[in-house]
Amino acid sequence: MNKKTFLLSLLLGTSVSLYAQPKWPAITQQTKPWTRWWWMGSAVNQKDLSQLLDQYQKAGLGGVEITPIYGVKGTEKQFLTFLSPEWVSMLTHTLKEAKRNGMGVDLAQASGWPFGGPWVTSEDACKYVAFQSYSVKGGESLSGPVQYIQKPLTRIVGQPIDIKELVEPITKNPNLQLHAFDQVRFEKPLPLQSLMAYSDKGQTVDLTTKVDAKGNLAWTAPAGGNWTLYALFQGWHGKMVERAGPGGEGDVIDHFSKSATENYLRRFDEAFKGVDVSGIRAYFNDSYEVDDASGESNWTPALLAEFQKRRGYDLRKHLPALFGKASEDQNKRVLSDYRETISELLLENYTKTWSDWAKKRGAIIRNQAHGSPANILDLYAITDIPEIEGTEILRIKFASSAANVTGKRLTSSESATWENEHFLSTLGDVKKAMDRFLLGGVNHTFYHGTNYSPQNAPWPGWLFYAAVHFNPQNPFWTDFGKLNQYVARAQSFLQQGRPDNDVLVYLPIFDSFTRPGKVLLQHYDGIDHGFKGMPVEHHAEELWAKGYGFDFISDKQLLGVTGQNGTLTTGGNRYRTVLVPEAGLMPLPTMQQLVKLAQNGATVVFVKALPEDVPGLSNLETRRAAFKKLLAGLKFAEAGKGARRAAVGKGAFIVGESVEAGLTAANTRREALVDNGLEFVRRKHDRGAYYFVTNWSDKAVESWVPVATKAQAVALYNPMTEEAGMAQFRPGASGGEVYLQLAPGESCILETYDTAVNGPAYAYRKAGGAPQELKGTWNVAFVSGGPTLPSNVQTDKLASWPELAGDAGKKFAGTADYTLTFARPQGAADGYRLDLGSVAESARVRLNGQDLGTLIGPVFQVFIPKDKLKDSNTLTVTVSSGMANRIADMDRNGQPWKIFYNINMSARLRENRGKDGNFTAEGWSPRPSGLLGPVTLTPVKND
């Protein structure tokens, strides 16, 4: 900047940055993607651990999460027992080697999932409630015993075995890896928890103490009425740790019991005693998943006492309502109270107890709360790094919402679990999945996953049953670093600043708690399970589609929100309004809090109507009267199209006929860039905002795009190509317009500034002529892969390897170099866009010996500056395929590679299941592989 420009800026009252922008944030261990590291059978050794960590670090991974699981057949002598001294020594070696590589380490706190193992006793194992009802006439006694015999049950993933051959506990049986038990229940009488008698005249009598050890009831029903007896029995759910490795097999814990959680964690204290495990950053829980079995875990021995303490009445007096046999209203209220109690027990006795344990040992927790019978927003809120899996935006946002609302910096994801069938996912597919997580607010991704596989293991190495196989054996590993660089660049921005969402969406959990189902509990993983078909689903989808930044918030979290002058603050982050999406039920304290926030200046938006009632049974009429009194004095007047407004202190309640009508009346900003087919996530920094923007529409965007952040300048970054510069930007009264060029599948990062900024311009390029196909003789050299390298090929026509290289090409998986010599294009241009056309699957491009970049798709284009071209040029394109054709050849020839205990291997798609029900690729035709083209050069001009 010259002196004249600087003085002019002072005279005009504007400020201009004295330092150049833009600048990429530093890439750190934490901004890089991490991976789940499967230790199969924990058959690990120091040499391979060190070599693999070196490979992971070179590929751009920032850390690993160790998860020991089932083993590999034939390696039994190398198995290490989970938490044994030998196993712990491998853990400490890993911590030392990861530190040497500048990598982080997390540890899954079970061998498999969920929490459980051989040290979990029957007292601490997960449980269920069974009930039996009996009818007794007045003056008569119960004829038979009060008893419930648990039916035998086995769910076995591995080799079947008759339950009559098993002994209890299951850990006393041999060959646990071979059988891979998923659930086991032994036939036996269940202990009685309560026996209650209900008369048709409204009387209730506790008969529990009148039942002897054999189940005989010493009681005669009073004359003059009929009685129904409800007996509660405590059963053993029988859920075993899924995919457990040696020494990790056993019962899953009772997540609702604090003592069960503490006893479980004590085993880790014993294993780590006197050992330095301070290198463990976080302990990890791989989702709840107790109830993906027969029945559900819905009981704990202290349930009745906890219910009375928390809900204020005796559940035993309302057992007919719990099991749906009373009036509809009472059924819903008791069911809601029961589910709320379970939710609180899971929150306090498991999640918080576990979190406190980790904190005392200098670590944090990473937790997948989904699948839990609880308000998972509250479970995530206690978690240091909330983690999600699944690809639906609204599901992803449950984890990121809790992180944002509570002021946590990181949200993680189990990423790319099933992008396609085994061996079919490309790096481009994974890039799309990564974009989805980033858009949902994830900024700390974990791939799912990478197998420990010793260097001497035959190809394809050791593999997990449900993954994209992020392993060095996969040919795409040669270009994997490019994906990791992309994710790291994006996350380097998204881990900075603070969330910049305007709307807090109240989660109507009590409307969900009252919905009856086939079982007592509801298990939540986002919208699909728990809120499917409810108004909140449609309203949240509308918020996303219309470009409103939002986070979900729970009742408990909402009570911690403070507000002043129209700004809502929670966990250090600020919001502009609360949206209540057609909630029928709302607790009195929640409504009182909304009124208080409005009185302090906040605007609360209700869609269509205010809540009608309070949930729960205890002290109902008093709570209901107070609730109605809060709303009775509201006077609504028209507030624009489709909205009514009532003043509440300094603020207001607005009722909108739709989400958009209500938020428009509340003057809530939206990002109109979504109207261009773009999607975004936005964070704020001290001088403006960061936007991560993607174009996953089927049309290119090359136009002015609005942003709703007031700014004077915008920097533009391409995290794939690493190009950066100051964007073309037109400031506006409430935001402005930035010029974007995004092909389908491309993304960018915007950094807005509230003052003018000096820096180099971003390089916009426009076609200056028609594409010209590069023709000539391609020399194709197969450089790595197998089972054998096909012979080199010269061809004037690009085609797939099966066509170019015959039988060897049909079964080949690996990498080939394509080399072509071409003359400098005619005509004037600032440079050329090299388009590789179709590529299967990824490519590295060199021109005249200089690297131009690695392309992973879906865009296979790279810019060539005009000064890089000579009169005669040599283009080399190194293409890596997937694993599919080689795997298919192995399956057709019966070559063993599926050598794993437990799941071996599951198919995602029905058509890929063999006669044994497992995955096979034997019916696959050879898939396209290599550079398919056409390869073109398009002259471009800098705009």
Side-chain angles (χ1 to χ4, degrees):
M1 178 190 306
N2 59 38
K3 183 176 180 181
K4 183 183 294 185
T5 303
F6 179 70
L7 292 174
L8 181 61
S9 70
L10 293 179
L11 290 172
L12 295 177
T14 61
S15 66
V16 179
S17 173
L18 299 182
Y19 52 93
Q21 291 288 343
K23 182 180 180 181
W24 289 98
I27 299 300
T28 66
Q29 176 193 103
Q30 195 162 266
T31 60
K32 295 177 182 178
W34 290 32
T35 191
R36 182 164 301 170
W37 197 13
W38 305 110
W39 281 12
M40 305 199 79
S42 293
V44 300
N45 64 73
Q46 291 189 359
K47 181 180 178 181
D48 283 312
L49 286 169
S50 298
Q51 290 179 340
L52 288 170
L53 285 169
D54 289 346
Q55 287 181 286
Y56 302 161
Q57 187 273 337
K58 290 176 182 177
L61 294 174
V64 294
E65 169 224 297
I66 299 169
T67 299
I69 54 163
Y70 55 85
V72 178
K73 295 175 182 179
T75 66
E76 292 81 1
K77 292 182 179 179
Q78 301 165 39
F79 287 177
L80 298 179
T81 300
F82 182 51
L83 296 183
S84 67
E86 295 80 11
W87 188 93
V88 173
S89 71
M90 292 298 110
L91 171 64
T92 55
H93 176 78
T94 298
L95 295 173
K96 180 186 70 175
E97 290 296 279
K99 183 177 181 180
R100 176 178 63 83
N101 276 294
M103 300 178 71
V105 177
D106 289 356
L107 176 65
Q109 211 151 359
S111 177
W113 59 88
F115 279 20
W119 62 93
V120 176
T121 64
S122 61
E123 290 78 15
D124 288 344
C126 52
K127 298 172 177 66
Y128 70 96
V129 64
F131 85 96
Q132 197 82 268
S133 62
Y134 313 87
S135 296
V136 181
K137 294 181 179 180
E140 297 182 358
S141 299
L142 188 64
S143 58
V146 177
Q147 66 176 12
Y148 191 100
I149 305 299
Q150 179 171 269
K151 295 181 180 179
L153 168 69
T154 57
R155 298 175 77 241
I156 301 173
V157 179
Q159 181 173 303
I161 186 172
D162 194 305
I163 195 171
K164 295 178 182 178
E165 299 180 39
L166 301 176
V167 297
E168 189 178 9
I170 198 68
T171 51
K172 288 188 176 181
N173 296 273
N175 301 319
L176 296 180
Q177 284 290 290
L178 179 65
H179 299 301
F181 296 105
D182 185 71
Q183 188 178 18
V184 179
R185 290 183 185 174
F186 291 94
E187 184 173 3
K188 56 184 175 181
L190 299 183
L192 179 68
Q193 302 295 289
S194 178
L195 178 65
M196 302 294 294
Y198 305 87
S199 77
D200 53 9
K201 296 182 179 180
Q203 297 170 288
T204 305
V205 180
D206 184 357
L207 303 176
T208 310
T209 60
K210 298 182 181 298
V211 182
D212 67 17
K214 295 183 178 180
N216 298 314
L217 174 62
W219 177 76
T220 301
N226 296 317
W227 293 77
T228 301
L229 279 55
Y230 278 81
L232 296 185
F233 302 89
Q234 178 178 281
W236 285 270
H237 184 261
K239 176 67 176 179
M240 300 285 123
V241 180
E242 285 190 54
R243 320 304 176 217
E249 307 98 332
D251 282 295
V252 168
I253 66 168
D254 174 1
H255 287 74
F256 314 130
S257 166
K258 185 173 185 178
S259 62
T261 303
E262 291 174 335
N263 291 340
Y264 179 79
L265 295 171
R266 190 172 295 118
R267 176 69 185 93
F268 290 84
D269 288 331
E270 296 167 355
F272 297 158
K273 186 176 182 180
V275 179
D276 182 9
V277 293
S278 59
I280 298 173
R281 179 193 68 158
Y283 292 97
F284 173 64
N285 168 51
D286 187 358
S287 68
Y288 179 74
E289 293 195 38
V290 181
D291 300 324
D292 56 346
S294 179
E296 62 175 358
S297 176
N298 55 21
W299 190 259
T300 192
L303 191 282
L304 292 173
E306 290 286 354
F307 187 97
Q308 180 141 13
K309 179 176 72 174
R310 295 165 185 273
R311 305 282 80 83
Y313 66 95
D314 190 344
L315 177 61
R316 296 176 301 170
K317 295 183 178 180
H318 299 275
L319 294 181
L322 178 63
F323 297 110
K325 305 298 183 181
S327 68
E328 182 179 356
D329 182 67
Q330 193 173 65
N331 290 345
K332 289 182 177 181
R333 293 185 179 279
V334 173
L335 180 63
S336 176
D337 285 339
Y338 167 77
R339 289 173 170 177
E340 184 180 7
T341 301
I342 287 289
S343 179
E344 291 174 354
L345 293 176
L346 183 57
L347 173 69
E348 298 167 20
N349 291 346
Y350 169 66
T351 314
K352 188 176 188 306
T353 299
W354 173 40
S355 177
D356 291 344
W357 178 89
K359 296 282 192 304
K360 290 177 182 178
R361 287 147 186 84
I364 59 177
I365 65 170
R366 235 180 73 234
N367 182 29
Q368 294 184 355
H370 50 266
S372 301
N375 190 332
I376 59 176
L377 290 178
D378 293 332
L379 304 185
Y380 280 135
I382 286 181
T383 302
D384 299 291
I385 305 179
E387 177 160 304
I388 192 63
E389 65 174 302
T391 57
E392 304 89 354
I393 280 291
L394 297 185
R395 176 171 176 159
I396 296 168
K397 285 184 71 67
F398 270 67
S400 63
S401 291
N404 293 344
V405 166
T406 57
K408 295 178 173 64
R409 183 181 175 191
L410 300 176
T411 301
S412 60
S413 61
E414 175 186 306
S415 312
T417 305
W418 283 108
E419 290 310 305
N420 204 322
E421 184 59 273
H422 284 286
F423 315 114
L424 299 185
S425 296
T426 69
L427 292 174
D429 294 332
V430 179
K431 191 263 186 189
K432 184 174 184 178
M434 294 300 101
D435 283 357
R436 203 73 182 153
F437 286 115
L438 295 168
L439 290 168
V442 168
N443 57 6
H444 186 37
T445 56
F446 281 73
Y447 298 122
H448 185 279
T450 301
N451 280 69
Y452 170 97
S453 187
Q455 303 294 318
N456 62 0
W459 195 91
W462 298 358
L463 301 176
F464 185 62
Y465 75 89
V468 179
H469 309 303
F470 297 98
N471 302 318
Q473 295 84 356
N474 195 325
F476 76 27
W477 188 268
T478 59
D479 300 326
F480 183 39
K482 184 63 176 182
L483 173 67
N484 295 331
Q485 170 231 290
Y486 169 79
V487 174
R489 283 300 187 198
Q491 291 187 160
S492 70
F493 280 99
L494 297 180
Q495 288 181 12
Q496 293 195 105
R498 303 178 303 281
D500 193 19
N501 293 326
D502 295 325
V503 183
L504 288 167
V505 178
Y506 172 71
L507 187 68
I509 191 72
F510 290 95
D511 285 353
S512 178
F513 277 167
T514 61
R515 298 171 85 185
K518 295 180 180 179
V519 291
L520 283 175
L521 297 178
Q522 173 62 62
H523 299 83
Y524 298 90
D525 64 5
I527 291 294
D528 273 1
H529 292 93
F531 302 95
K532 189 69 177 175
M534 292 175 60
V536 65
E537 175 188 15
H538 311 302
H539 298 330
E541 288 174 346
E542 183 179 355
L543 285 166
W544 179 257
K546 294 291 186 181
Y548 291 102
F550 69 96
D551 286 318
F552 294 108
I553 190 168
S554 71
D555 293 88
K556 186 183 296 291
Q557 293 162 5
L558 191 56
L559 294 179
V561 175
T562 59
Q564 191 172 8
N565 299 325
T567 299
L568 301 169
T569 304
T570 174
N573 295 317
R574 295 180 178 180
Y575 298 83
R576 302 189 184 189
T577 190
V578 177
L579 179 79
V580 181
E582 288 187 74
L585 299 172
M586 179 178 284
L588 176 61
T590 303
M591 181 56 77
Q592 290 171 331
Q593 171 72 344
L594 292 179
V595 171
K596 179 181 177 181
L597 292 173
Q599 289 173 339
N600 289 334
T603 300
V604 181
V605 177
F606 300 84
V607 182
K608 293 190 177 179
L610 300 172
E612 297 177 351
D613 206 350
V614 293
L617 186 61
S618 179
N619 200 23
L620 175 58
E621 293 308 319
T622 300
R623 291 185 295 116
R624 180 180 279 162
F627 187 87
K628 293 184 179 298
K629 184 178 179 180
L630 272 177
L631 305 180
L634 296 177
K635 296 182 180 179
F636 286 92
E638 293 298 319
K641 185 177 180 180
R644 296 177 295 122
R645 183 182 187 277
V648 181
K650 299 178 182 178
F653 278 10
I654 291 176
V655 177
E657 293 180 2
S658 65
V659 167
E660 190 167 18
L663 292 180
T664 299
N667 295 316
T668 307
R669 65 174 169 169
R670 82 175 188 95
E671 293 287 355
L673 60 82
V674 298
D675 300 338
N676 296 66
L678 303 175
E679 295 176 296
F680 76 99
V681 63
R682 184 182 61 224
R683 293 179 71 86
K684 66 181 71 172
H685 59 85
D686 291 341
R687 302 178 61 204
Y690 302 121
Y691 287 75
F692 175 72
V693 180
T694 67
N695 176 24
W696 281 103
S697 71
D698 57 359
K699 296 179 180 179
V701 171
E702 190 164 347
S703 62
W704 290 96
V705 173
V707 291
T709 298
K710 192 171 182 179
Q712 294 298 314
V714 175
L716 177 58
Y717 304 80
N718 186 319
M720 185 63 76
T721 66
E722 297 195 290
E723 295 177 284
M726 299 307 299
Q728 295 181 20
F729 180 68
R730 301 190 297 213
S734 59
E737 291 182 312
V738 61
Y739 195 80
L740 294 184
Q741 293 177 321
L742 290 175
E746 277 196 316
S747 58
C748 69
I749 293 163
L750 306 177
E751 181 177 12
T752 74
Y753 305 96
D754 55 13
T755 58
V757 171
N758 180 42
Y762 188 83
Y764 294 95
R765 303 182 181 101
K766 292 190 175 182
Q772 305 169 31
E773 184 175 358
L774 292 183
K775 296 183 178 181
T777 300
W778 290 90
N779 294 304
V780 184
F782 295 88
V783 296
S784 64
T788 58
L789 293 179
S791 300
N792 293 349
V793 176
Q794 290 188 330
T795 180
D796 294 333
K797 180 182 178 183
L798 291 173
S800 180
W801 293 343
E803 182 180 341
L804 282 179
D807 288 342
K810 292 177 181 177
K811 61 185 71 171
F812 180 72
T815 300
D817 285 341
Y818 289 73
T819 305
L820 176 73
T821 301
F822 66 96
R824 186 197 304 270
Q826 298 296 313
D830 295 320
Y832 293 85
R833 182 183 299 120
L834 175 68
D835 190 333
L836 300 184
S838 179
V839 176
E841 310 287 351
S842 58
R844 284 172 284 146
V845 182
R846 284 168 290 160
L847 180 68
N848 299 324
Q850 293 187 2
D851 182 51
L852 292 183
T854 300
L855 307 176
I856 63 172
V859 178
F860 290 97
Q861 299 175 353
V862 65
F863 175 70
I864 302 176
K866 63 180 180 181
D867 59 6
K868 297 288 184 183
L869 289 168
K870 303 177 181 179
D871 291 338
S872 178
N873 302 277
T874 300
L875 174 68
T876 302
V877 182
T878 301
V879 178
S880 294
S881 71
M883 305 171 77
N885 289 346
R886 187 172 177 182
I887 287 289
D889 179 68
M890 293 179 74
D891 279 348
R892 281 192 290 269
N893 289 291
Q895 292 179 260
W897 64 270
K898 290 169 275 190
I899 54 175
F900 313 107
Y901 286 106
N902 209 289
I903 286 192
N904 189 34
M905 307 252 309
S906 58
R908 185 185 185 204
L909 303 175
R910 185 182 299 274
E911 58 265 30
N912 296 323
R913 295 175 189 167
K915 294 179 180 179
D916 60 359
N918 294 325
F919 170 82
T920 180
E922 61 185 338
W924 289 0
S925 299
R927 290 178 58 81
S929 300
L931 178 61
L932 309 179
V935 179
T936 61
L937 280 178
T938 301
V940 296
K941 295 182 178 180
N942 294 330
D943 185 14

